[in-house]
Each structure stands twice: as C-alpha cells, then as structure tokens.
Amino acid sequence: MQQAAFDSKGSAIRWTEVPGDEPARVYLHGLGSVSSVYHAHIAARPELVGRRSLFVDLPGHGISDRPADFGYSLEENADAVAAALDRAGVVGAELIAHSMGGAVAVVLAHRRPELVSRLVLAEANLDAFPPPTAGSSGIASYEEDAFVDEHHARVLEAVGPLWAATMRLADPRALHRSAVGLRRGSEPVMRSILEDLPIDRVYLQGEHSGELPGRPALEAAGVRVVTVPCAGHNIMFDNPDVFAAAVAGRY
C-alpha cells in the first residue's frame, strides 16, 4: 500500500500496486466502491499481466482518508488522483475507470493531460444530472446531514449486498458529497471533454443498460463505443472477457 497527500492537512489518497512494465495502468472505481475489488481480477488475467498496475481508492472510499472538510467534487477527486500519480512517478498512464471513476478520469485527462495516454471507460458518467434511477441521484436527493444521520443505513439495505459490501466502507458524508459532485458534473461537462481529448478512448456500455445516449456524436469524435453482451453496469463482473480485451486494446 502506498499513499500521497491530497489536501493542505496531509489527508492521504492510497493505492495498492503491482509492479511491471510501463505505461502503467491505473484503475479507478465508481461511487461507493473499492478499486481492487472491482479490478484486481481483471489486471490478473493472462492478457494483462506484466504491466504496472495501480488500484487507487478515491478520497472517502476504501483505504483512503475521508476528511470532513473536503468537497469531493469531480475536480477535487481528479486532483487527488493526480497527487497519487505524481507521488508514484506515473506519466502517460492508461486509466481504466468505472462509473463515477470514469468521470473523474475524464476530468483528470483534461486538467493534467501529461498523466493520461488512454482511457477505457466502463459506463462512465458523461452528463450532469443523471436520471433519478441512478444511484448518485438517489443519494444526492437527501440533504447531507439527513443522509448521514438517517438515510445512509437505508440506502445500504436498498442497494443490495454486492454494492453494499464496498459502500459500507465509504464515509457517509464523503459518499453524499461525491454523489452531489457527480450529479453536478464538471465544467466543461464530461461528455464535451471526452469528445475533445486527443488520446485513445474506449467506452464500454453494458447491453442490459440500453443504448448509450449520444453515441453517434461520441463515435464521430473518435471514441470507440463497445456494447458489451450479457452485461449490465458492472461490466467487469458480468463479462470479464470483453472487459479485459478492451483493456488489452483489442477493441
């Protein structure tokens, strides 16, 4: 486990790392998740072994610190990841990022382009104000103190055992602020950033999640959009073969 300070008080963002060849692959998780849980089994596949791999937990999640005065916006999360990559001596990384982590990865590529050479996004949030059915919208619908004091436990019961297993490790206040930040989006919005980035970009959409809104415009901008069969939002669990193939550059 390694760490880097991401705020003026020395709060630490932490990651576990597997040594290997460069460029490094950096794995980022979604809201209420943990990077190693969602991605270690992918990095261990035969077609992907041998590359340096970092499993980064975003502030407030997993093994990273959870300062009460941190904003947890997409920009702040991106800057925290940048601090980790700077500390690790990583440049030109391939970012493999799921859901909210994908939004953070897009913002990071915009703010610190030297750190990112490629994006593999699994159902990343691209727009502000996601539909009410999205987990972030449900969490963000509560006032912060009410969520922390009353609704956090109810949300853990409602999301099911898989997501709850990692969500319960996230600080409730950090979870709420992260959801609010995700719902607010970035400026410019993530979709516009992604379309303009001059790097290799792959977007994975689970077949069971329906058609990706704005797909023609993304593809016209050079983003390779892959519909992953037999998969929903958690593509790395539902269809690890296609997920790993995309990370390996076979799409």
Side-chain angles (χ1 to χ4, degrees):
M1 183 173 63
Q2 301 192 45
Q3 64 181 36
F6 65 84
D7 66 8
S8 60
K9 296 182 178 179
S11 302
I13 182 171
R14 297 187 175 90
W15 66 97
T16 53
E17 181 171 337
V18 177
D21 296 334
E22 303 285 349
R25 293 188 177 117
V26 177
Y27 294 85
L28 299 178
H29 60 82
L31 180 70
S33 300
V34 174
S35 188
S36 58
V37 173
Y38 275 67
H39 296 119
H41 68 292
I42 297 296
R45 290 178 63 97
E47 62 266 46
L48 298 178
V49 296
R51 288 281 290 277
R52 186 183 183 190
S53 300
L54 287 73
F55 304 96
V56 180
D57 284 347
L58 296 171
H61 291 72
I63 57 176
S64 291
D65 286 346
R66 47 209 66 203
D69 56 354
F70 191 67
Y72 299 94
S73 68
L74 291 176
E75 291 83 0
E76 288 167 308
N77 276 312
D79 289 347
V81 176
L85 301 190
D86 287 341
R87 178 69 178 82
V90 169
V91 294
E94 298 182 4
L95 266 58
I96 298 91
H98 178 230
S99 198
M100 183 184 79
V104 173
V106 169
V107 174
L108 174 61
H110 175 64
R111 294 169 74 86
R112 293 287 304 277
E114 76 280 8
L115 296 179
V116 184
S117 64
R118 182 172 184 252
L119 291 174
V120 179
L121 307 174
E123 296 216 352
N125 297 76
L126 299 182
D127 303 303
F129 301 102
T133 54
S136 58
S137 293
I139 293 171
S141 67
Y142 300 107
E143 188 272 331
E144 181 176 307
D145 288 336
F147 176 78
V148 172
D149 296 336
E150 303 174 37
H151 300 289
H152 177 244
R154 297 174 187 172
V155 168
L156 288 178
E157 292 180 1
V159 298
L162 181 65
W163 196 6
T166 56
M167 186 183 288
R168 67 189 180 190
L169 303 178
D171 177 78
R173 198 169 299 278
L175 182 66
H176 184 272
R177 291 182 187 174
S178 297
V180 169
L182 182 58
R183 188 171 184 269
R184 182 186 304 119
S186 62
E187 180 56 46
V189 75
M190 299 83 77
R191 182 181 295 272
S192 296
I193 294 174
L194 181 62
E195 291 176 349
D196 290 341
L197 287 173
I199 59 175
D200 185 40
R201 296 148 295 161
V202 180
Y203 191 102
L204 306 179
Q205 176 78 356
E207 175 187 32
H208 300 323
S209 299
E211 185 60 38
L212 175 65
R215 177 171 184 161
L218 288 171
E219 292 180 326
V223 180
R224 296 196 304 283
V225 180
V226 178
T227 299
V228 181
C230 305
H233 187 60
N234 294 327
I235 298 170
M236 70 293 295
F237 296 144
D238 296 339
N239 196 331
D241 291 339
V242 171
F243 192 96
V247 175
R250 297 178 184 173
Y251 283 96

